[in-house]
Amino acid sequence: MALQNNNFTRRSLLFMPGDSMKKIQKAAGWEVDTVILDLEDGAAQNRKVAARTTVSEALQTLNFGGRERLVRLNHLNTGLPRAEIEATAAWRPDGYIVPKAEDAADLHAVDQLLAIAEQQLGLPDGAFRLFAMIETALGVMNLREIARATPRLEGLIFGAEDLAGDIGAVRTRAAWEVFYARSAVVTAAAAYHLQAFDMVFTDFHDAPGLETESRFARQLGYTGKSCIHPNQTPVVNAVFSPSAEEIDRAQRLIAAFEAQQAAGAGAFTFEGKMVDMPMLVAARKVIARVGRRTPVE
Ligand code: COA
Ligand code: MG
């Protein structure tokens, strides 16, 4: 059943090619919150139908051990999503991902297909969750309408590689070439109460590089990150979980704030720095995350 958005937190999302039963079979062994069965770019053009069949079979037969299961559809203009939903919905993935979302119409179209599937299967409205990938210039320009297109939407996933191709940027390790979009995505997600997932780090042999990039994403406000290799998910899970020190500091800050408020002070000094309402809000967000569950806990 659909879990409530506000008490369900995903940190790591792991893509796996939809046509690779070998990789999908291992998903239950990985330390990952969300498994993405990919029908789009992870499956070659001439393997789209094979991928659809494999994903359908995987959903029917495999136990993902409580991990969230999402299917990434192809873009609407390929004409494929209708058949992709028809082939998979009965096996109850938790949700679907719209790639290269460019406007509200892209989401409405998939939303309608899911509503039809829900009716046919006797499921409640909104049973299937929806996620949108923002990875084109137009998608960034239309973030607001995408973010509020449907109540089914639970998160925005930032795609840096496609975006760089679309805008003619050269990808670098520092990622300043995609910074505007990366920051816009996390801001739109916050404005419309969605989760935000950072871009893939393609150099899957470089764990320290992944950790650095993940930490920066978390500083920007991202709540999780897409992964392409199972060795990336433990790093991402660790970075996107509040540490014991962060929790401890947040608790102390809240206690100090409450004491100062009672004494009539709005701003005060905490560990040598000025603290006022915005820091309290941030501390409360850290504490709020502690109580939330991740799929495999
Ligand atoms: N999901 C599940 N299992 C995976 C995996 C993934 N994304 N990536 C690797 N594995 C498995 C491999 O099958 C391998 O298993 P084995 O040891 O039993 O053979 C093991 O993990 C180690 O993999 P490794 O040999 O290091 O990598 P690889 O050469 O098999 O695969 C990639 C490298 C990049 C092709 C692979 O990680 C992958 O397919 N990633 C996802 C790509 C994708 O979906 N892209 C589109 C979205 S951005
Ligand atoms: Mg993409």
Side-chain angles (χ1 to χ4, degrees), residues 14-17 22-23 26 30 38 42 72 204 228-230:
L14 178 60
F15 279 94
M16 41 198 75
K22 176 174 172 283
K23 283 184 178 136
K26 284 194 220 124
W30 306 132
D38 188 16
R72 180 163 74 165
F204 61 86
I228 43 149
H229 193 283

Side-chain angles (χ1 to χ4, degrees), residues 13 30 41 49-51 58 111 127 130 147 186 206 239 259-260 277 285:
L13 282 57
W30 306 132
D41 289 348
V49 176
D111 189 45
L130 196 58
V186 73
D206 179 4
V239 170
Q260 294 287 338
M277 191 52 99
K285 279 195 173 150

Side-chain angles (χ1 to χ4, degrees), residues 14 16 27 32-37 64 67-71:
L14 178 60
M16 41 198 75
V32 63
D33 293 338
T34 298
V35 168
I36 301 177
L37 308 170
F64 290 83
R67 288 161 190 77
E68 183 179 49
R69 299 143 310 145
L70 303 180
V71 176

